[in-house]
Amino acid sequence: MILIVIKAGVDMGRRPKIIASFEEEDRRESGYYATPKFVADFLARRMLDLCPEAKTVLDPCVGRGELIGTFGEAGLHVTGYDIIDRSPVGCAKFEVADFLEIVGASEGLSLFHDVKRPSFDLVVANPPYNCHETDYIRKNKVKLVERFGKATALNMYSLFVRAIIEYATDSAVIGLVTHDSFLTAVGHQELRRYILQNCVIHDLHLCPTSLFKDQNADVRTCLLVLEKKKDGQGVIRTSNRVATVSEFRNALFKKDFHDQFLDDVTLRHERDNAEFIVGVSDEIAKLFSGRRLSDIAPCITGISTGSDATYIRRKSEDGYRIPFYKNPASRRFFAQPDGFLCDNYEEVGRTVSNFMIRNKNLLTLGGLSCSSMGVKFGAAIRPPNTLCGVNPNVIINDDRMWSLLSYLNSKLCLYLVRGVLIRSNMITAGYAARIPVPVFSNQAENTLLCLGRRGFELAQAGADVSGIKAEIDQTIEHDLSLSYNVRELLTAFDQDPTRLS
């Protein structure tokens, strides 16, 4: 068995060079963040447990050597690569080299230099955390997509993850500290399926959002331990995101994990995109086998102006009279329009290329406008004869609108959206369309209908709606007979979705 460990990375858009003083390094440009020692020690111990016969280790983006210490102490021979010489500690051998060039050259891709591919027992990594706007991806997007797949063009870390798995030999164990947007973002479904098709998953642990706070980074990460082989999937050790670094350290030290099977940690329904889910109980997971929001009413996106300042005014005035809803965000039940769109928007849509009108026949029917940005998902009434932006909008105008309004503002719905479907990034109509909507009893449905109307009236009057929301949550939890543990989870998540999502 071979172990592969890959660590803190850099922006491969720049050619190999030596920074005179890495103390002055711009981390937003390089994407390099040092891995905390307790995380590095945990990964090394876990990987050596899985691969006790390992003899040599490669760290292809070694940084200062934070991830390799335990391997060196265990007597393994460690080779480090990086395009920046940060004087890594613990390497028996260090080379200024570009891992992506090495992997690319293995298939003769002309984009990369002709680099001889070395062989190692082990490799370890925390890939760089920078996005598709890096020069490297921007300049080489076509060839990168052709070589490594569409998801790799989204950012550097997904490019590294794909390259690492491809580089690994059969039975290699791969340990990653990496950004976690690949777990649920629709753009990464290709990468998720590549992982599932080529690897056995041993560990998946969500890190607290404050893990790199001492390095002035607010980045969502996870620990992922894989073994490169196509079958033999067994139990997966998982742990959900906790609020603090100290809680996370204790969980890793005490091995406070859940043992789950692959079907427990992935959404496999044909409507879904093989999302990885962590900490989701059977009670919640089974909701994804039932009806979705799009089964009740169309869930659509609207108008992208390309320049809001040009076509939208804050107040109604001559030529700008159409109420326009962009994103109710935390404004639940009732929201004033975000502005007023130009009256001749249809003409603009025909003549201006980046002014895009989608779902034209449904837009003015009104219904519910859902939040797209911000962690707190919710919905507000959007009256007929108004228009909407690219946030999710549910086109519905019968009495079901009121009960659905209640449900979309519930703790359960918030968790389903931000704790399962999409833990980061904006919520598009595609995500919203897949929100599970349980079938409630007639009594509960009528109660939710009344509460939705009452919540709208109170919010319209500027009154507090927290009492209504509590009644909605109580009605839903009672009707679905949710367990005490699930209710506690929903409450904790509702109180702090930013840190727990």
Side-chain angles (χ1 to χ4, degrees):
M1 188 180 291
I2 296 178
L3 168 65
I4 294 189
V5 182
I6 301 183
K7 154 178 184 358
V10 294
D11 182 354
M12 294 301 173
R14 300 176 304 178
R15 304 309 341 130
K17 68 177 183 179
I18 297 177
I19 289 183
S21 174
F22 52 72
E23 295 292 346
E24 300 175 359
E25 181 179 338
D26 183 351
R27 298 191 187 195
R28 290 174 298 179
E29 180 183 352
S30 71
Y32 169 76
Y33 294 95
T35 306
K37 187 177 188 304
F38 77 92
V39 172
D41 290 344
F42 167 79
L43 266 185
R45 287 193 300 268
R46 176 59 170 157
M47 296 168 75
L48 288 171
D49 285 344
L50 293 168
C51 185
E53 70 274 24
K55 301 298 181 183
T56 59
V57 183
L58 168 68
D59 186 336
C61 37
V62 68
R64 299 184 189 181
E66 296 92 345
L67 275 176
I68 60 178
T70 300
F71 297 108
E73 293 170 1
L76 281 72
H77 185 279
V78 179
T79 297
Y81 292 164
D82 210 318
I83 65 167
I84 297 173
D85 185 353
R86 297 183 179 86
S87 301
V89 176
C91 290
K93 179 182 179 182
F94 171 75
E95 293 183 23
V96 175
D98 187 331
F99 178 68
L100 296 180
E101 291 193 352
I102 293 171
V103 179
S106 68
E107 296 294 326
L109 186 64
S110 59
L111 166 64
F112 301 90
H113 298 307
D114 184 16
V115 179
K116 181 180 178 181
R117 175 172 173 172
S119 177
F120 297 92
D121 294 327
L122 318 173
V123 187
V124 78
N126 174 354
Y129 303 138
N130 29 30
C131 68
H132 65 281
E133 296 178 353
T134 61
D135 287 342
Y136 182 76
I137 292 179
R138 195 163 46 233
K139 293 177 180 178
N140 303 303
K141 182 176 180 179
V142 173
K143 291 182 179 180
L144 288 171
V145 169
E146 179 181 350
R147 177 66 174 81
F148 294 112
K150 290 187 296 184
T152 60
L154 294 175
N155 46 52
M156 290 299 294
Y157 90 81
S158 57
L159 175 56
F160 261 82
V161 172
R162 172 62 186 260
I164 289 163
I165 295 173
E166 182 177 311
Y167 180 85
T169 57
D170 290 342
S171 298
V173 175
I174 303 170
L176 299 167
V177 186
T178 189
H179 202 293
D180 68 10
S181 64
F182 80 94
L183 296 175
T184 56
V186 66
H188 286 300
Q189 62 176 303
E190 182 184 278
L191 177 59
R192 288 192 293 273
R193 296 187 192 281
Y194 185 80
I195 291 171
L196 292 170
Q197 291 166 2
N198 292 279
C199 298
V200 165
I201 304 172
H202 288 292
D203 284 69
L204 176 54
H205 307 289
L206 302 185
C207 307
T209 56
S210 55
L211 185 62
F212 295 96
K213 187 176 181 179
D214 61 346
Q215 299 177 65
N216 298 316
D218 182 16
V219 60
R220 309 169 62 82
T221 53
C222 68
L223 308 184
L224 184 64
V225 180
L226 309 171
E227 184 174 349
K228 188 173 179 181
K229 59 181 182 178
K230 296 182 181 295
D231 51 32
Q233 178 66 63
V235 169
I236 304 169
R237 305 195 317 179
T238 70
S239 59
N240 205 356
R241 178 161 283 125
V242 292
T244 66
V245 173
S246 61
E247 290 177 272
F248 186 54
R249 182 186 290 107
N250 289 336
L252 296 185
F253 178 75
K254 296 178 180 179
K255 299 182 180 179
D256 186 12
F257 308 137
H258 297 284
D259 290 339
Q260 298 184 282
F261 295 104
L262 185 61
D263 286 345
D264 300 325
V265 299
T266 52
L267 293 180
R268 295 301 188 95
H269 192 279
E270 60 182 11
R271 298 187 182 191
D272 299 313
N273 301 304
E275 290 89 350
F276 289 113
I277 57 177
V278 178
V280 178
S281 70
D282 291 341
E283 292 174 76
I284 297 296
K286 72 179 181 181
L287 296 177
F288 286 85
S289 299
R291 69 176 182 174
R292 305 290 181 97
L293 182 55
S294 60
D295 294 328
I296 299 173
C299 189
I300 67 167
T301 188
I303 298 174
S304 174
T305 68
S307 174
D308 287 354
T310 302
Y311 303 108
I312 299 175
R313 299 291 182 267
R314 287 190 176 183
K315 297 181 179 180
S316 179
E317 61 181 68
D318 287 344
Y320 299 85
R321 300 183 186 276
I322 304 174
F324 192 75
Y325 289 76
K326 288 178 54 180
N327 177 27
S330 59
R331 297 170 291 162
R332 294 175 169 176
F333 298 100
F334 170 82
Q336 293 285 359
D338 296 284
F340 294 84
L341 188 66
C342 57
D343 298 343
N344 65 335
Y345 74 94
E346 291 186 89
E347 179 184 348
V348 174
R350 289 191 295 267
T351 58
V352 179
S353 61
N354 65 342
F355 189 105
M356 293 177 284
I357 304 175
R358 304 175 182 88
N359 303 294
K360 181 178 178 180
N361 295 334
L362 296 174
L363 289 183
T364 60
L365 298 181
L368 303 175
S369 190
C370 303
S371 52
S372 58
M373 302 297 292
V375 177
K376 281 280 191 180
F377 180 79
I381 295 293
R382 181 171 70 85
N385 300 315
T386 63
L387 292 172
C388 59
V390 295
N391 59 303
N393 278 257
V394 185
I395 307 303
I396 186 170
N397 284 286
D398 55 35
D399 279 348
R400 296 174 302 163
M401 175 180 70
W402 299 107
S403 59
L404 195 57
L405 177 66
S406 288
Y407 174 69
L408 292 176
N409 286 306
S410 68
K411 289 191 293 189
L412 174 59
C413 188
L414 170 65
Y415 180 75
L416 290 172
V417 175
R418 282 308 196 187
V420 184
L421 276 176
I422 178 67
R423 287 180 175 263
S424 60
N425 298 337
M426 68 180 296
I427 305 165
T428 65
Y431 289 117
R434 295 193 293 119
I435 297 174
V437 181
V439 177
F440 299 106
S441 67
N442 289 337
Q443 181 179 355
E445 187 77 17
N446 289 331
T447 299
L448 292 174
L449 185 152
C450 294
L451 290 171
R453 280 179 169 154
R454 183 58 178 154
F456 173 77
E457 293 167 356
L458 288 174
Q460 188 177 36
D464 182 18
V465 296
S466 59
I468 293 293
K469 187 177 180 305
E471 289 187 59
I472 290 171
D473 293 328
Q474 185 177 18
T475 300
I476 291 173
E477 292 168 7
H478 175 76
D479 195 62
L480 297 180
S481 300
L482 297 182
S483 67
Y484 174 80
N485 287 340
V486 169
R487 294 185 187 201
E488 288 291 290
L489 170 64
L490 297 183
T491 296
F493 193 86
D494 182 63
Q495 292 173 349
D496 197 1
T498 299
R499 289 198 292 176
L500 297 181
S501 62

